[in-house]
């Protein structure tokens, strides 16, 4: 075949022509791509993988901003950094900036709180941009409001109190007063209190408060109050004016009345011949009458202000309360009443045989049952008596077959914690010296140290493998003493054993120790009577046996004399602490059985106890044991008694599963300087002062 224009080409020529044509096309495309890349490389943040990226990048969220912080590799020397951010939701939800080479951080402002942003940083070099290093971060609202805003009404004024925001960024407070719409700006950011003057009495005001920040205001917090005339003196932080006989109350200045400056001194006159210079004195009235309490206040600027309040003292409002509340009821067995730290509330555990038992809280002044904490268990002794901790928490041990064995109950009647141990608990618990531990001795003779705040077991020691726990006490050094129906043991607060008694020592069940100096006194079963144990060595110092039966609940007076009771013989004994000899014995005859009957000692030397038979309460003179007083028809008492803060004797009774609490007017104060009850205090702590 011939070419139209000439000779026919050979095959090699055709192939060579094709190769040359393809090379020209490839070279042409290469130059085009090179030109395009060169023109765009400064506009597009593409990576040059021959250049150093960042070593690290971190992001910290702020209020409408994010702080980026980064680090370069050692040999990296970029000229600047390209920072880009975006939400990915829309093209305009981001931005970019360049940062000088001398910077290693930047704050990206004007972001939207609670929206997640993606941030990337690329070092720029002479040869172009390095690869991206990226991180996500979500800015958060840090314009914290004030907390716990309260309003206290005064005469034509209201005081606001609050807790300031935990931030150093806010610049001032703004308070809006409604209904007049007045705005008050407070530039002092350290303030947590402010008095708003010039208000109208008997009109309700709403106060809205915000904290101002550079990025805006916090959410508002509101509170309302109605100003009006106020009393210059408060009674237990209230304006009550009617009190009962010997009701212990605290008098305080009403700072919505006394506003002349900082108080330098006060002088109180209670109108009954007693005075005080304490800022907030406690006082109780011993006669039914009307009294005018007056106070003179001297301010640091030298000015003086006065105020007064009339109080009316009425007779005791109750003397007996049945232990029945809604579906809860019970008898009192073994346990004596204990009191809150302010003396306003009495606590008493109850039992209903083979059913359940509960902790009752009773208002001391009114006799009203405030609440009942239900505890399901089967036990005819009522468990270890209630104990009130240094923070007001009530601890209650319970007997067998219960879901839990130890409960911690808040003063409002709600549970703080509970714990199940290896057995029920009839022995009264004890509190550590610092109040941080609760010591419980179970009916399997295991001694537990519980964290008082959360109930966790800090340590435990099995004392007698077949024993029963009877009593626990704590000395001044924090050492623990635990008695079983076999021996007495001592441990340090950390659970290290100090000693155990070398001879059999059968401590009476549901009994209680008494401590005085370096001597431990324990009541024993059968005819064991009372023994004295050296608290340093565990050696028995002396014994004071009895003739017939179990002994109970020793107490010690301020001279060191020990007193205890004997079960069926109904004897009461006074024992010389130096040798264990009986100073006197008082037989109440078997008509007045003393089963679980614990003693209480007044500061003027009278021993009080209830009786299991005869339904009487006795007061014995500690000098010779003679009957100082006898109150009949109290009811069947098989428990300890307590001299309360209002000079009355309190005891629980048994009566067909609905017992009662009796309050008997004896006009006595308990002996606080010795082991006059469980621990010698109204909280039943079983610890030495």
């Amino acid at each position: 075949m011939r070419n139209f224009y000439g000779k026919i080409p050979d095959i090699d020529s055709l192939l060579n022509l094709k190769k040359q044509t393809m090379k020209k096309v490839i070279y042409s495309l290469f130059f085009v791509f090179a030109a395009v890349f060169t023109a765009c490389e400064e506009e597009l943040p593409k990576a040059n993988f021959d250049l150093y990226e960042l070593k690290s990048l971190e992001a910290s969220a702020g209020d409408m901003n994010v702080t980026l912080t980064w680090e370069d590799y050692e040999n990296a020397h970029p000229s600047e950094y390209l920072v880009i951010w975006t939400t990915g939701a829309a093209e305009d939800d981001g931005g970019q900036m360049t940062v000088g080479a001398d910077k290693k951080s930047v704050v990206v402002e004007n972001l939207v709180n609670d929206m997640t942003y993606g941030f990337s940083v690329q070092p720029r070099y002479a040869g172009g941009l390095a690869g991206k290093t990226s991180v996500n971060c979500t800015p958060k609202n840090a314009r914290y409001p004030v907390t716990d805003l309260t309003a206290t009404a005064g005469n034509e004024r209201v005081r606001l109190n609050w807790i300031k925001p935990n931030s150093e960024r806010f610049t001032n407070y703004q308070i809006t007063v409604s209904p007049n719409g007045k705005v008050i700006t407070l530039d002092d950011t350290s303030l947590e209190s402010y008095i708003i003057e010039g208000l109208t009495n008997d009109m309700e005001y709403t106060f809205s408060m915000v904290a101002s920040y550079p990025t805006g205001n916090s959410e508002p917090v509101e509170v309302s109050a109605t100003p009006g005339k106020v009393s210059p003196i408060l009674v237990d932080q209230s304006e009550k004016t009617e009190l009962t006989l010997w009701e212990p109350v605290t008098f305080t200045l009403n700072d919505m009345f006394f506003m002349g400056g900082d108080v330098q001194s006060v002088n109180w006159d209670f109108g009954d011949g007693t005075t005080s210079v304490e800022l907030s004195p406690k006082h109780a009235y011993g006669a039914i009458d009307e009294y005018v309490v007056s106070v003179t206040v001297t301010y640091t600027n030298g000015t003086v202000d006065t105020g007064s309040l009339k109080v009316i003292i009425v007779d005791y409002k109750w003397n007996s309360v049945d232990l029945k509340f809604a579906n809860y009821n019970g008898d009192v067995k073994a346990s004596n009443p204990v009191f809150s730290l302010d003396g306003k509330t009495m606590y008493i555990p109850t039992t209903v045989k083979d059913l359940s038992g509960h902790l009752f809280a009773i208002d001391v002044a009114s006799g009203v049952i405030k609440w009942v904490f239900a505890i399901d268990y089967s036990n005819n002794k009522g468990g270890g008596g209630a104990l009130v901790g240094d923070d007001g928490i009530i601890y209650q041990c319970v007997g067998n077959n219960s879901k839990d064995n130890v409960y911690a109950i808040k003063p409002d009647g709600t549970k703080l914690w509970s714990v199940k141990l290896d057995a029920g608990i009839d022995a009264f618990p004890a509190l550590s010296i610092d109040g941080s531990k609760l010591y419980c001795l179970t009916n399997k003779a295991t001694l537990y140290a519980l964290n008082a705040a959360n109930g966790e077991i800090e340590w435990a020691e099995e004392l007698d493998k077949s024993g029963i726990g009877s009593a626990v006490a704590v000395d001044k050094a924090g050492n623990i003493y635990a008695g079983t129906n076999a021996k007495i043991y001592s441990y340090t607060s950390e659970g290290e054993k100090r000693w155990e008694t070398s001879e059999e020592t059968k401590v009476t069940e549901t009994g209680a120790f008494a401590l005085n100096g370096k001597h431990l006194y324990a009541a024993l079963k059968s005819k064991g009577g009372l023994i004295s144990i050296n608290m340093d060595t565990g050696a028995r110092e002396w014994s004071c046996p009895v003739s017939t039966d179990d002994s109970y609940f020793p107490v010690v007076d301020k001279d060191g004399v020990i007193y205890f009771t004997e079960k069926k013989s109904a004897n009461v004994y006074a024992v010389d602490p130096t040798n264990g000899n009986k100073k006197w014995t008082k037989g109440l005859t078997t008509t007045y059985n003393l089963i679980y009957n614990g003693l209480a000692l007044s500061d003027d030397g009278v021993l009080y106890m209830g009786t299991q038979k005869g339904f009487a309460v006795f007061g014995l003179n500690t000098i010779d044991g003679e009957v100082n007083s006898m109150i009949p028809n109290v009811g069947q008492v098989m428990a300890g008694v307590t001299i309360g803060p209002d000079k009355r004797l309190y005891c629980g009774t048994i009566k067909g599963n609905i017992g009662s609490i009796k309050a008997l007017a004896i006009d006595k104060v308990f002996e606080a300087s010795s082991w006059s009850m469980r621990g010698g205090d109204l909280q039943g702590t079983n610890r030495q002062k």
Side-chain angles (χ1 to χ4, degrees):
M1 182 179 210
R2 289 181 178 269
N3 188 306
F4 184 78
Y5 295 100
K7 68 178 181 177
I8 299 174
D10 57 29
I11 295 299
D12 291 336
S13 299
L14 289 173
L15 291 174
N16 186 51
L17 177 62
K18 185 176 181 180
K19 289 179 180 179
Q20 292 177 358
T21 305
M22 289 298 296
K23 286 181 180 180
K24 291 179 181 180
V25 171
I26 290 172
Y27 288 145
S28 299
L29 290 174
F30 175 80
F31 287 121
V32 170
F33 286 138
V36 172
F37 179 80
T38 302
C40 299
E41 68 175 344
E42 291 302 312
E43 285 74 29
L44 298 177
K46 293 186 177 180
N48 184 329
F49 294 101
D50 294 330
L51 305 176
Y52 286 101
E53 299 177 0
L54 295 180
K55 183 178 180 180
S56 65
L57 174 64
E58 295 182 353
S60 300
D63 184 8
M64 299 177 64
N65 64 68
V66 167
T67 300
L68 300 175
T69 305
W70 58 84
E71 182 181 358
D72 287 317
Y73 284 102
E74 182 178 356
N75 295 324
H77 301 289
S79 60
E80 61 183 12
Y81 302 92
L82 176 63
V83 181
I84 300 175
W85 61 95
T86 180
T87 65
E91 293 183 358
D92 58 352
D93 283 341
Q96 67 179 45
M97 69 171 73
T98 57
V99 180
D102 59 334
K103 304 292 185 183
K104 294 296 183 288
S105 67
V106 67
V107 179
V108 182
E109 304 277 5
N110 301 318
L111 302 179
V112 178
N113 283 337
D114 300 316
M115 179 175 287
T116 300
Y117 288 81
F119 299 89
S120 65
V121 179
Q122 294 176 265
R124 189 188 299 277
Y125 299 87
L129 288 168
K132 292 181 180 179
T133 304
S134 301
V135 67
N136 292 333
C137 192
T138 305
K140 296 290 184 181
N141 186 351
R143 286 164 280 163
Y144 304 117
V146 301
T147 55
D148 295 340
L149 178 64
T150 60
T152 304
N155 184 28
E156 298 181 348
R157 65 188 66 172
V158 167
R159 184 182 67 241
L160 300 181
N161 289 91
W162 63 88
I163 296 176
K164 66 181 181 180
N166 186 20
S167 173
E168 301 298 329
R169 298 177 61 248
F170 74 100
T171 57
N172 59 57
Y173 301 107
Q174 292 181 17
I175 304 170
T176 302
V177 183
S178 298
N180 59 26
K182 180 181 179 181
V183 178
I184 302 170
T185 300
L186 306 176
D187 292 324
D188 185 352
T189 56
S190 67
L191 291 177
E192 291 186 310
S193 179
Y194 185 74
I195 296 173
I196 301 175
E197 307 271 7
L199 303 178
T200 302
N201 282 343
D202 302 321
M203 176 182 290
E204 185 179 51
Y205 289 85
T206 298
F207 308 92
S208 179
M209 189 171 190
V210 299
S212 298
Y213 293 81
T215 55
N217 293 336
S218 69
E219 291 293 324
V221 181
E222 291 188 351
V223 68
S224 297
T226 303
K229 293 183 178 180
V230 297
S231 169
I233 298 171
L234 298 177
V235 181
D236 285 341
Q237 296 301 316
S238 71
E239 295 188 9
K240 71 176 182 179
T241 57
E242 184 178 283
L243 308 174
T244 60
L245 277 172
W246 296 115
E247 179 181 355
V249 295
T250 301
F251 291 92
T252 56
L253 304 175
N254 188 343
D255 57 2
M256 296 307 295
F257 182 93
F258 293 101
M259 302 183 68
D262 295 330
V263 176
Q264 176 176 292
S265 64
V266 294
N267 283 280
W268 295 87
D269 186 333
F270 298 110
D272 61 351
T274 59
T275 60
S276 176
V277 294
E278 294 181 16
L279 183 62
S280 299
K282 290 185 178 180
H283 190 66
Y285 290 90
I288 298 171
D289 205 342
E290 291 186 0
Y291 302 89
V292 175
V293 183
S294 60
V295 62
T296 299
V297 176
T298 302
Y299 301 106
T300 54
N301 59 15
T303 61
V304 175
D305 211 348
T306 61
S308 62
L309 174 71
K310 179 186 289 187
V311 294
I312 302 172
I313 309 304
V314 300
D315 199 358
Y316 296 116
K317 295 182 178 179
W318 64 283
N319 53 34
S320 180
V321 173
D322 288 339
L323 295 173
K324 181 175 177 57
F325 182 85
N327 295 323
Y328 307 119
N329 57 276
D331 288 323
V332 178
K333 202 167 189 180
S335 299
N336 65 309
V338 295
F339 290 80
S340 60
L341 300 176
D342 62 4
K344 302 293 185 183
T345 308
M346 174 180 57
Y347 306 107
I348 184 69
T350 64
T351 180
V352 177
K353 187 175 182 180
D354 299 327
L355 293 173
S356 62
H358 315 292
L359 181 68
F360 281 70
I362 301 172
D363 183 83
V364 173
S366 66
V368 173
I369 297 174
K370 299 172 68 173
W371 49 260
V372 176
F373 185 85
I375 304 174
D376 294 327
Y377 64 97
S378 174
N379 177 29
N380 64 358
K381 295 188 183 70
L387 182 154
V388 179
D390 297 338
D391 54 0
I393 299 297
I394 310 101
Y395 301 95
Q396 177 64 53
C397 298
V398 300
N400 294 325
N401 302 326
S402 57
K403 179 181 178 182
D404 289 313
N405 304 121
V406 187
Y407 292 83
I409 305 160
K410 299 177 185 177
D412 63 1
T414 59
K415 185 173 77 172
L416 177 63
W417 55 259
S418 63
V419 64
K420 178 77 171 178
L421 303 181
D422 68 341
I425 301 170
D426 290 328
F428 295 162
L431 193 66
S432 65
I433 294 300
D434 64 2
S436 66
K437 295 185 184 71
L438 185 74
Y439 300 110
C440 303
L441 182 60
T442 71
N443 294 340
K444 285 188 177 180
T446 303
L447 177 63
Y448 287 88
L450 303 180
N451 186 305
N454 55 33
E456 292 181 358
I457 298 173
E458 298 199 354
W459 54 264
E461 291 290 335
E462 185 182 84
L463 307 185
D464 305 323
K465 290 186 177 180
S466 59
I468 297 174
S470 300
V472 188
V474 177
D475 69 16
K476 292 180 180 180
N479 299 311
I480 307 104
Y481 303 87
T484 72
N485 61 346
K487 288 187 176 183
I488 298 175
Y489 302 78
S490 179
Y491 287 83
T492 69
S493 60
E494 302 304 318
E496 296 180 4
K497 187 175 180 180
R498 299 176 66 229
W499 51 257
E500 66 179 76
T501 50
S502 58
E503 55 188 301
E504 186 177 65
T505 305
K506 295 183 177 181
V507 181
T508 308
E509 82 281 1
T510 318
F513 291 146
L515 307 183
N516 187 48
K518 290 293 184 178
H519 310 286
L520 179 149
Y521 304 113
L524 305 184
K525 295 175 65 65
S526 300
K527 301 177 183 180
L530 188 75
I531 59 171
S532 176
I533 299 292
N534 183 297
M535 288 161 55
D536 287 332
T537 66
R540 184 176 294 196
E541 297 173 320
W542 49 254
S543 299
C544 179
V546 295
S547 58
T548 60
D549 213 332
D550 298 345
S551 299
Y552 291 106
F553 301 108
V555 299
V556 182
D557 68 16
K558 51 192 170 186
D559 296 322
V561 177
I562 312 104
Y563 308 88
F564 69 99
T565 61
E566 186 182 359
K567 188 175 181 179
K568 291 184 180 179
S569 70
N571 284 337
V572 181
Y573 299 94
V575 181
D576 188 327
T578 61
N579 52 28
N581 293 335
K582 298 182 180 72
K583 292 173 66 69
W584 53 257
T585 301
K586 178 63 179 179
L588 300 177
T589 78
T590 54
T591 303
Y592 302 105
N593 253 3
L594 303 179
I595 302 177
Y596 303 130
N597 293 110
L599 300 164
L601 178 64
S602 69
D603 67 345
D604 63 347
V606 179
L607 281 170
Y608 289 94
M609 77 210 73
T611 56
Q612 190 262 336
K613 291 182 179 179
F615 299 170
V617 168
F618 287 88
L620 305 182
N621 191 313
T622 55
I623 297 175
D624 51 19
E626 291 303 308
V627 176
N628 180 280
S629 62
M630 194 272 283
I631 305 173
N633 304 319
V634 173
Q636 185 180 15
V637 179
M638 295 180 65
V641 297
T642 304
I643 300 173
D646 58 352
K647 294 192 174 184
R648 295 203 287 179
L649 184 72
Y650 290 87
C651 60
T653 70
I654 292 176
K655 189 178 180 181
N657 291 337
I658 302 179
S660 63
I661 284 290
K662 303 293 184 180
L664 310 175
I666 60 172
D667 197 27
K668 302 285 185 180
V669 177
F670 80 97
E671 174 54 60
S673 65
S674 68
W675 199 281
S676 57
M677 294 180 289
R678 285 171 44 210
D681 56 42
L682 296 177
Q683 287 68 52
T685 60
N686 283 321
R687 64 184 177 186
Q688 191 176 27
K689 300 180 185 65

